[in-house]
Amino acid sequence: NKSKTAISDLSFIEINGEPKKVPAFAFKNQDGKIITNKDYEGKVYVVEFFFTTCPTICPRMNKNLIQIQETFKGFEDFGVASFSINPDYDNQEVLKAYAEQYGITNPNWHLMTGDKETIYKLSNEGFNLYSAEEDDVAGGFEHSGNFALIDKNGFLRSRRDNFGNPIIYYRGIVSEEEQVDEDGVEEEISALKQDIKKLLNE
């Protein structure tokens, strides 16, 4: 019977030889509450950067996250952190309506907004998930369609690829049902679910 503290086989993401931890953050959520990285301590959570008016990839990412939410319904130590990269538009009311529209019910799923520069820094440096304002892309913003996975102690974790290197992120756009998108890119939602389970057991 293995003890609760046994660490799973998921990798730590190392930057300059140090396991990478989520930087400190504090943003307002869809209920107007200030949420910080401390609110996620002791929880396994998935991170995404998105914006509510995103016409292309966000709806697909959030449908996948809703499915993950349903998979882990019984787990009080599972959460999601969604950071809006368009705080000028995505105020508390907009985020609340979005949460209702998608059926976000997990009390640890916070849709957060705040100072734009702080969010971009968190995205690009804190998680290395690309975000930028781009006038010529659909919706006016460009961002990564990937999810980051965080363990109960705030470390970025992931499985390894066939060569033994951490995959670092999980593709958030292709759904389990689709399996493969039109470009032959395979889904990683099922992998993400397996890995959430492993971290919940740590």
Side-chain angles (χ1 to χ4, degrees):
N1 210 0
K2 76 174 179 79
S3 71
K4 267 299 221 203
T5 49
I7 295 289
S8 70
D9 58 355
L10 296 183
S11 290
F12 288 83
I13 312 302
E14 296 203 345
I15 307 282
N16 303 328
E18 289 283 306
K20 190 162 172 70
K21 215 173 176 175
V22 172
F25 63 81
F27 295 108
K28 252 191 187 145
N29 77 353
Q30 70 270 34
D31 298 314
K33 286 202 191 100
I34 298 285
I35 301 296
T36 75
N37 50 300
K38 291 202 165 31
D39 289 297
Y40 286 99
E41 279 172 9
K43 295 178 177 69
V44 175
Y45 65 108
V46 175
V47 171
E48 68 158 350
F49 288 84
F50 84 113
F51 59 107
T52 62
T53 50
C54 166
T56 46
I57 64 176
C58 302
R60 297 172 67 176
M61 291 165 72
N62 282 316
K63 280 198 184 93
N64 285 333
L65 283 174
I66 287 288
Q67 208 202 359
I68 290 171
Q69 165 185 276
E70 297 311 306
T71 304
F72 295 100
K73 234 187 167 66
F75 293 86
E76 284 171 19
D77 49 0
F78 173 70
V80 179
S82 299
F83 298 97
S84 168
I85 59 170
N86 185 9
D88 298 342
Y89 180 82
D90 289 344
N91 60 22
Q92 184 195 329
E93 289 74 32
V94 170
L95 291 174
K96 198 163 177 56
Y98 189 85
E100 282 164 11
Q101 179 197 336
Y102 272 86
I104 292 171
T105 53
N106 180 329
N108 304 316
W109 186 339
H110 301 287
L111 304 164
M112 287 169 276
T113 185
D115 174 66
K116 188 182 271 184
E117 270 181 43
T118 311
I119 288 175
Y120 282 74
K121 203 173 148 79
L122 182 70
S123 166
N124 292 306
E125 294 172 28
F127 292 102
N128 302 92
L129 287 167
Y130 177 74
S131 297
E133 277 191 85
E134 297 283 351
D135 294 334
D136 49 1
V137 301
F141 295 87
E142 192 163 8
H143 66 103
S144 154
N146 294 334
F147 297 139
L149 178 60
I150 316 298
D151 71 14
K152 290 178 183 175
N153 298 312
F155 289 103
L156 272 85
R157 304 283 293 275
S158 82
R159 61 174 52 197
R160 296 173 188 274
D161 63 18
N162 298 337
F163 303 102
N165 302 311
I167 63 168
I168 306 182
Y169 302 113
Y170 296 79
R171 295 189 194 112
I173 302 170
V174 190
S175 72
E176 271 187 289
E177 295 164 338
E178 288 172 302
Q179 293 189 332
V180 182
D181 75 2
E182 52 277 9
D183 301 319
V185 176
E186 290 186 24
E187 65 87 19
E188 290 181 345
I189 300 298
S190 51
L192 179 55
K193 285 181 184 173
Q194 290 164 10
D195 294 350
I196 290 167
K197 203 165 271 165
K198 285 183 178 177
L199 292 181
L200 284 168
N201 286 325
E202 282 190 355

